[in-house]
Amino acid sequence: MKKRLMIHGMHCASCSAQIQSALAKQPGVISAGVNFAAEKLDLEFDENKISLKKIQEITAKLGYQTMEEGEMGGHHHEGNILKLKKTFWISFFLGLPLVYLAMAEMLGLPAFHFSTGVIIIFEFILATGILYASRALWLNGAKRLIQLKPDMDSLVFVGTGAAYFYSLFAGISFLLKMNSAMPALYFESAGFILVFISLGKYLEAVTKGKTGEAIKGLAELQPKFATVIRSGKESEIPIVEVIVNDIIKIKPGEKIPVDGLVIEGYSGVDEKMITGESIPVEKSKGDRVIGATVNQTGELTIKASKVGADTMLSQIIRVVEDAINSKSPIQLLADKISFYFVPVVIFLAIISFGVWMLAGQSFAFALTVFVSVLIIACPCALGLATPVAVMMGTGLAAKRGILIKSNKALEIARKINLVVFDKTGTLTKGEPIVTDVVSFSAENVMVLAASLEKKSEHPLAKAILNKIKKEKLLDVKEFNAIPGRGVVGIIEDKRILLGNARLLAENKIKTSSEVENSIEKLESQGKTLMILASENKILGIIALADTVRSTSKSAIADLRKKGKKVVIITGDNKRVGDAIGRELVVDEVIANVLPAEKANAIKELQKKGNIVAMVGDGINDAPALAQADLGIAFSSGTDIALDSGEIILVKNDARDVLTAIELSGYTFRKIRQNLFWAFFYNIIGIPVAAGVLYPVMGVLLNPAIAAFAMAFSSVSVVLNALSMKIYKN
């Protein structure tokens, strides 16, 4: 069983790593993937070995609340932001006088002339107030430490706790006359560390929420009500009550509530929110419409074909969310580092403290180093680096009608150097028409052909039947469709074959020079041929031509300009394939390939060192799409071929292949930037906090500055991801 749960209570990337590690050890849990940025847990488990309730109990023991999507409520994130905002402002207003008391003279500001004892008491009260405001952070950090599963909050707890309790002890000693010298107090450090930490958490929550706006925006596209006609009466009902086959009326300016088929009316429909296409699409009787698109000019009456979770909009949201919650190798590496990060930082802080004590420095000096090392370390930036960029990247793609189903697909797309296009239905419209009929020894070539094809669902069969709508067809016995070859049947006691040259060869039917000349002439024009034969005799040839999509030529030209090799793969013979290849200007044509053989053709291209993307219509190309390094499928009508490709092109536009590749490269540049700064920050920050510059430059990092730097590192990573909004292709 697969489940997606919302998680409440995660504070940093090491939290998500702990949950994953704990669940992975449980018998029956097949996989558990936690997305820190999206606050979601993707589960796959065996119900016979472990229940969902048991999994939720395990996460609860770790200190995290899990609920199924929808249970936690849409206002959970907003409520959390308000709570963090309140904590920050309380801490800030208590922190200002605390810092003033402690540092006024140092900063050359007018100082309060209170006695040392009064200053100690005031600082204690203010610092304790800040600590109380941030008590959730402290309690969580202490709890994780006791469980021997420390996280980011544990680092803050140990660091600020050491500064606070040392200052408390020193202050009490002075007040009780146990120590006559003015003590070194760190109340302001402990206080302002918590101020900066609360600011960082607040800003992180705000900016993190913005990265999910693409999905939120998609979810808000669907109208809340629909006007249905039931028993001849019109009534407005909630969208959740609409059922399949309901008759729905949509007035000009209204959103189409569900996917459906137009049964009456004519209008232009704005589909850009789903497909990214800016020009309204004309709709009339028989045309399909997509839910959440906007009816512009005329009134439409539609029959609902897909509702609820089956609509195209729901599928898009599900695909985008799956991509966000999936993990690429680069994210798994960051998660692994985050898991070990906190224990390593605590160890480094203790070592730094010990080294400075052994070097003869004061306890206060060593404590400053200890606190600074703990506070400056930031696994949050590591944990956020990939998911926030992926959230933005998949959102940008979805707005352009490109659905990226996994993080892995997003990562591999940028590496593609060779793109293989299936011809029919991908580069062409997949709607062939009969252009020529050549008769050799039968006058009723089209009637015989149509009679055979009436039981077939192949696009070529439909073209032949469309050509001969009014003719009376003949009875066919023992009909058999042979994939990649044609059809065979008995008509008027004669075995009739209709198919390609391979079908003729397998049935040992020979062709004359007259037939060969006709075949060569028609195929050189890029036409697909269906040869009609009986016994050992050619009866005629039917030539069909498929219209090349208007965008195919420019799509291939753009890919080649970017250094990508382009290959066409087709079941047509070499002459037909080469004619299309010449028209579209590609690097190679692989012709005469059966659907089952396409995967092997992809494998051969991969053996030559190519990283291959296969672009197909998702129907008979599934094996090739699976074999390719990246499968890209055109959506089929309003049905997104969810199992066919790793990237779905909603607009069925070959130009979106390059857009997907470029978006992948752009997203991963952002991920690399984020990871670089997250690693660089810690590689530089921790040694500086440990005091490596002190012997040379006399510089020692103030713990409060370390807290500000730590908070800024997480926020900067998210802001860098948010800058992706300006992307234009």
Side-chain angles (χ1 to χ4, degrees):
M1 174 179 271
K2 291 184 178 181
K3 281 281 183 183
R4 177 169 294 156
L5 305 179
M6 302 294 296
I7 306 178
H8 178 51
M10 289 194 298
H11 300 277
C12 68
S14 59
C15 297
S16 62
Q18 284 172 11
I19 297 168
Q20 283 181 183
S21 178
L23 292 179
K25 294 173 184 174
Q26 300 301 315
V29 174
I30 300 165
S31 66
V34 180
N35 187 310
F36 171 52
E39 297 181 326
K40 290 182 181 179
L41 164 63
D42 266 3
L43 276 172
E44 187 175 356
F45 60 97
D46 185 342
E47 288 181 283
N48 298 319
K49 294 180 180 179
I50 190 169
S51 66
L52 180 61
K53 186 178 178 182
K54 175 66 175 174
I55 290 170
Q56 289 180 302
E57 286 173 0
I58 292 165
T59 54
K61 283 180 183 176
L62 292 171
Y64 308 100
Q65 181 187 12
T66 54
M67 294 184 183
E68 292 193 52
E69 283 188 296
E71 287 182 14
M72 201 168 276
H75 300 293
H76 160 68
H77 186 71
E78 288 81 358
N80 187 45
I81 289 174
L82 286 173
K83 187 177 176 182
L84 290 169
K85 184 179 181 181
K86 182 180 176 182
T87 299
F88 164 67
W89 283 114
I90 291 172
S91 302
F92 180 74
F93 285 120
L94 289 172
L96 283 178
L98 175 60
V99 170
Y100 196 94
L101 277 171
M103 304 181 70
E105 287 188 23
M106 187 189 308
L107 298 172
L109 299 171
F112 293 107
H113 297 291
F114 298 128
S115 67
T116 301
V118 172
I119 290 175
I120 290 171
I121 292 169
F122 273 148
E123 286 189 15
F124 164 73
I125 291 170
L126 292 168
T128 304
I130 295 170
L131 194 154
Y132 181 76
S134 302
R135 63 191 179 280
L137 184 151
W138 249 45
L139 290 171
N140 180 69
K143 182 180 176 182
R144 295 280 186 273
L145 206 57
I146 292 166
Q147 292 174 340
L148 297 180
K149 294 173 181 174
D151 63 2
M152 189 62 218
D153 288 355
S154 300
L155 296 182
V156 176
F157 167 73
V158 174
T160 56
Y164 177 84
F165 287 113
Y166 170 77
S167 301
L168 181 61
F169 174 78
I172 291 171
S173 297
F174 179 84
L175 292 172
L176 296 177
K177 310 295 185 185
M178 293 169 63
N179 187 353
S180 58
M182 174 63 189
L185 300 178
Y186 290 91
F187 283 127
E188 84 285 351
S189 289
F192 239 67
I193 284 168
L194 292 171
V195 170
F196 283 130
I197 297 295
S198 60
L199 173 63
K201 284 183 176 288
Y202 167 59
L203 292 176
E204 186 182 300
V206 171
T207 50
K208 216 163 68 174
K210 289 184 182 296
T211 60
E213 283 180 355
I215 295 177
K216 188 178 177 183
L218 284 170
E220 290 174 350
L221 285 174
Q222 192 174 50
K224 301 293 185 289
F225 296 93
T227 302
V228 299
I229 303 172
R230 290 176 179 171
S231 303
K233 294 181 180 179
E234 281 187 27
S235 60
E236 191 174 71
I237 63 171
I239 191 73
V240 292
E241 294 179 15
V242 176
I243 59 174
V244 173
N245 293 328
D246 261 341
I247 305 301
I248 303 169
K249 186 166 281 189
I250 305 113
K251 295 175 182 175
E254 290 183 344
K255 284 185 178 180
I256 295 169
V258 295
D259 295 355
L261 195 69
V262 177
I263 57 174
E264 189 179 318
Y266 173 83
S267 184
V269 175
D270 182 357
E271 296 185 342
K272 68 173 173 286
M273 63 287 298
I274 298 293
T275 66
E277 184 59 60
S278 58
I279 300 171
V281 181
E282 292 183 7
K283 300 288 181 181
S284 57
K285 187 176 179 179
D287 289 332
R288 294 191 176 276
V289 290
I290 305 168
T293 56
V294 180
N295 180 31
Q296 290 197 322
T297 51
E299 188 171 270
L300 292 175
T301 304
I302 69 167
K303 180 187 278 190
S305 58
K306 292 185 180 180
V307 300
D310 295 327
T311 63
M312 189 176 195
L313 178 63
S314 295
Q315 290 183 58
I316 289 172
I317 293 169
R318 192 159 62 246
V319 168
V320 175
E321 286 189 332
D322 285 344
I324 288 169
N325 285 284
S326 67
K327 299 216 172 177
S328 65
I330 198 167
Q331 174 64 30
L332 293 171
L333 174 64
D335 285 350
K336 200 167 187 178
I337 292 169
S338 296
F339 182 73
Y340 295 106
F341 189 86
V342 173
V344 168
V345 169
I346 292 174
F347 175 74
L348 289 174
I350 293 168
I351 291 294
S352 301
F353 177 85
V355 167
W356 285 113
M357 287 295 289
L358 291 172
Q361 290 291 344
S362 67
F363 178 83
F365 184 98
L367 180 65
T368 299
V369 169
F370 176 75
V371 173
S372 295
V373 171
L374 289 173
I375 299 303
I376 202 165
C378 187
C380 297
L382 281 174
L384 289 168
T386 298
V388 291
V390 168
M391 287 170 84
M392 290 301 298
T394 50
L396 285 171
K399 283 183 177 179
R400 288 162 172 77
I402 301 166
L403 304 183
I404 300 171
K405 290 168 60 178
S406 73
N407 205 320
K408 179 174 170 265
L410 187 64
E411 183 167 356
I412 197 70
R414 67 198 169 94
K415 300 175 183 176
I416 296 299
N417 73 309
L418 187 149
V419 181
V420 179
F421 284 96
D422 173 56
K423 179 180 77 72
T424 306
T426 305
L427 294 175
T428 63
K429 291 180 180 177
E431 298 171 1
I433 57 169
V434 175
T435 59
D436 304 85
V437 179
V438 180
S439 176
F440 295 111
S441 55
E443 293 181 2
N444 58 344
V445 169
M446 285 301 296
V447 173
L448 288 169
S451 299
L452 274 175
E453 292 286 22
K454 68 182 176 183
K455 292 185 178 181
S456 172
E457 294 182 359
H458 195 280
L460 296 181
K462 291 177 183 177
I464 290 170
L465 288 165
N466 286 337
K467 182 75 174 177
I468 195 169
K469 286 179 180 176
K470 296 179 182 178
E471 294 281 350
K472 185 178 179 181
L473 301 181
L474 306 170
D475 291 332
V476 179
K477 298 175 183 176
E478 298 179 26
F479 173 82
N480 184 26
I482 305 168
R485 293 165 177 80
V487 292
V488 179
I490 305 294
I491 299 177
E492 296 178 344
D493 298 325
K494 289 184 180 180
R495 187 167 181 264
I496 308 293
L497 301 89
L498 179 67
N500 55 26
R502 188 179 294 205
L503 181 66
L504 299 185
E506 288 176 357
N507 285 272
K508 298 178 181 177
I509 296 175
K510 296 177 181 177
T511 57
S512 65
S513 57
E514 182 188 5
V515 171
E516 285 293 343
N517 288 337
S518 295
I519 290 172
E520 186 174 345
K521 178 185 175 184
L522 292 167
E523 286 182 344
S524 66
Q525 297 169 8
K527 295 173 181 176
T528 299
L529 306 187
M530 299 285 280
I531 304 169
L532 187 73
S534 174
E535 306 302 334
N536 196 29
K537 187 166 57 176
I538 303 295
L539 302 178
I541 300 172
I542 300 171
L544 303 99
D546 194 0
T547 310
V548 173
R549 291 179 187 269
S550 59
T551 56
S552 295
K553 194 164 187 176
S554 62
I556 289 171
D558 290 343
L559 280 165
R560 296 187 76 210
K561 279 179 191 173
K562 295 291 183 180
K564 314 296 180 188
K565 288 181 280 187
V566 179
V567 174
I568 291 176
I569 192 165
T570 177
D572 287 328
N573 64 56
K574 187 163 175 55
R575 280 198 292 262
V576 174
D578 286 345
I580 291 287
R582 284 192 300 272
E583 182 181 350
L584 296 176
V585 193
V586 299
D587 295 284
E588 185 182 351
V589 175
I590 303 173
N592 209 24
V593 182
L594 294 174
E597 296 170 346
K598 287 181 180 178
N600 288 331
I602 298 293
K603 199 179 290 184
E604 290 301 313
L605 291 169
Q606 289 169 323
K607 284 180 183 177
K608 296 175 183 177
N610 295 302
I611 301 173
V612 180
M614 169 69 192
V615 187
D617 58 14
I619 300 168
N620 62 359
D621 298 317
L625 289 166
Q627 174 60 45
D629 297 285
L630 178 67
I632 302 177
F634 279 21
S635 66
S636 177
T638 58
D639 183 19
I640 299 165
L642 288 174
D643 297 323
S644 300
E646 293 160 293
I647 293 179
I648 310 296
L649 306 183
V650 177
K651 289 186 287 185
N652 298 332
D653 189 337
R655 291 175 298 184
D656 287 337
V657 173
L658 181 59
T659 303
I661 291 171
E662 291 187 331
L663 257 174
S664 164
Y666 179 68
T667 302
F668 268 80
R669 282 196 298 277
K670 287 293 181 181
I671 289 172
R672 281 196 298 267
Q673 288 169 14
N674 284 349
L675 286 172
F676 170 79
W677 286 113
F679 279 112
F680 179 79
Y681 165 83
N682 283 297
I683 289 167
I684 298 299
I686 292 174
V688 170
V692 294
L693 297 179
Y694 186 78
V696 182
M697 303 172 65
V699 174
L700 189 65
L701 191 66
N702 185 296
I705 302 301
F708 176 79
M710 188 278 280
F712 180 73
S713 68
S714 293
V715 175
S716 64
V717 161
V718 183
L719 288 174
N720 187 43
L722 286 173
S723 70
M724 294 171 69
K725 283 186 175 182
I726 63 173
Y727 174 79
K728 286 184 174 62
N729 62 299

